Amino acid sequence: MDGWQEHRRYLFAVAYRLLGSASDAEDAVQEAYLRLRRAAPTDLANPRAWLTTVTSRICLDMLGSARARREAYVGTWLPEPLAGYDDTDLGDTVALRESVRTAVLLVLETLSPAERVAFVLHDAFGMDFERLAVVVDRTPAACRQLASRARRRVREEAPPRKPVSTEEYRRVLAAFTAASADGDLAELVHLLDPRIVLRSDGGGAVPAARKPVYGHERVVTLLSWLARRYAGVRLEPVLLAGGHGFVLELDGAVCGVIGVEVADGRIAELNLVVNPAKLGPWPPSSAAGS
């Protein structure tokens, strides 16, 4: 199909926000493509609209089983990190950037599948309620209510952050790298927002804090433990979906990814993924494009 790659990139952006998993999003997009080849109307006037509807319905079906798996997940579940990923050119920059933040994706995990789909498609991608009604098999009025409830939850639990320039991120990441390398605990405390939260996802496969850690002193204590456990680790800056962070490399292999959120010149969130199942696609020296 002409233009498939352009549609594929858009569909992946939708599916990743709906599922929080790059591998599941790829599966959903591939299934949508197969259905396009098998069953699309011959007079299809708007392939992207048709594909978006099909992909979203596939994701809606997948969300039920995904929720069951995540309820049995060991420790904190975090979305799969994506390196060098920026899809803000696909639509409204603010809405798309916010919808792929880790904190927002975690709130979306607590919503019903229909609420999540309504929020992502309407608020992030601008789908009108008439089209949304076809996706979730509800009336437009019901879809409006779904999106409203989801939006309220997101604003309450993951309020928007002020945009941070790339230069500011680089400054903070460089200072964090230097303080970590020097073991300068006082400087680390200074770099962290007093209300910082650190989440870590080991999936039960490797040691990780099973609940979020709050407060700069407790976070520094955990970071010190991690530095001892991963002695010799290299921190390579990287652009991630939703912001910036580090790839952790040890003995030539990727052993983790840290997503970093900065607010008012300090680090407000650290999201550490060390679950090997979520690091498979990562090559060493993934920092290209940061």
Side-chain angles (χ1 to χ4, degrees):
M1 171 189 161
D2 293 339
W4 165 248
Q5 287 303 320
E6 177 187 354
H7 295 312
R8 181 186 178 284
R9 185 164 171 266
Y10 180 88
L11 297 173
F12 178 85
V14 172
Y16 178 73
R17 287 163 171 81
L18 289 176
L19 300 171
S21 163
S23 54
D24 287 349
E26 290 283 8
D27 289 345
V29 172
Q30 183 62 24
E31 176 60 25
Y33 177 66
L34 294 176
R35 294 187 189 184
L36 175 69
R37 296 290 298 271
R38 292 195 306 259
T42 56
D43 59 345
L44 193 59
N46 190 337
R48 175 168 292 188
W50 189 89
L51 284 164
T52 301
T53 297
V54 170
T55 301
S56 300
R57 289 186 68 88
I58 292 169
C59 290
L60 187 61
D61 291 339
M62 293 173 72
L63 280 170
S65 58
R67 170 164 290 191
R69 292 197 306 272
R70 287 170 195 168
E71 286 176 351
Y73 197 81
V74 177
T76 298
W77 176 92
L78 292 175
E80 290 177 32
L82 298 177
Y85 185 81
D86 183 3
D87 60 18
T88 51
D89 61 305
L90 296 177
D92 177 78
T93 302
V94 174
L96 286 180
R97 182 183 65 243
E98 283 294 311
S99 65
V100 81
R101 283 176 54 212
T102 296
V104 172
L105 290 173
L106 289 175
V107 176
L108 296 185
E109 284 291 308
T110 69
L111 304 179
S112 71
E115 287 172 336
R116 182 170 189 163
V117 171
F119 176 83
V120 169
L121 294 184
H122 179 265
D123 284 46
F125 290 93
M127 180 180 286
D128 61 57
F129 290 116
E130 285 71 24
R131 284 182 58 204
L132 183 57
V134 175
V135 176
V136 298
D137 195 23
R138 309 282 180 93
T139 66
C143 291
R144 189 183 301 274
Q145 290 298 315
L146 289 171
S148 177
R149 286 199 301 269
R151 188 182 311 118
R152 184 167 56 251
R153 286 280 299 280
V154 170
R155 288 177 177 172
E156 289 174 353
E157 299 180 31
R161 294 197 185 277
K162 296 178 182 178
V164 177
S165 68
T166 299
E167 291 72 21
E168 177 73 352
Y169 258 112
R170 286 175 175 166
R171 181 191 69 78
V172 174
L173 295 184
F176 181 84
T177 301
S180 299
D182 296 340
D184 189 341
L185 300 185
E187 178 61 15
L188 280 174
V189 170
H190 175 73
L191 285 169
L192 305 182
D193 186 295
R195 299 162 297 180
I196 186 175
V197 56
L198 185 152
R199 309 178 185 95
S200 55
D201 178 348
V206 296
R210 296 199 175 189
K211 294 182 179 180
V213 177
Y214 296 91
H216 58 341
E217 293 184 354
R218 294 185 65 199
V219 168
V220 165
T221 298
L222 180 57
L223 290 175
S224 299
W225 177 85
L226 289 170
R228 292 191 299 271
R229 173 175 174 78
Y230 296 98
V233 72
R234 294 173 54 230
L235 281 75
E236 295 290 343
V238 66
L239 175 67
L240 298 168
H244 295 252
F246 297 101
V247 175
L248 308 183
E249 293 185 11
L250 185 63
D251 298 329
V254 173
C255 61
V257 178
I258 305 178
V260 179
E261 280 209 10
V262 171
D264 298 323
R266 291 185 171 183
I267 296 174
E269 287 186 24
L270 289 169
N271 295 296
L272 172 62
V273 177
V274 289
N275 182 351
K278 298 184 178 182
L279 302 175
W282 287 74
S285 300
S286 301
S290 63

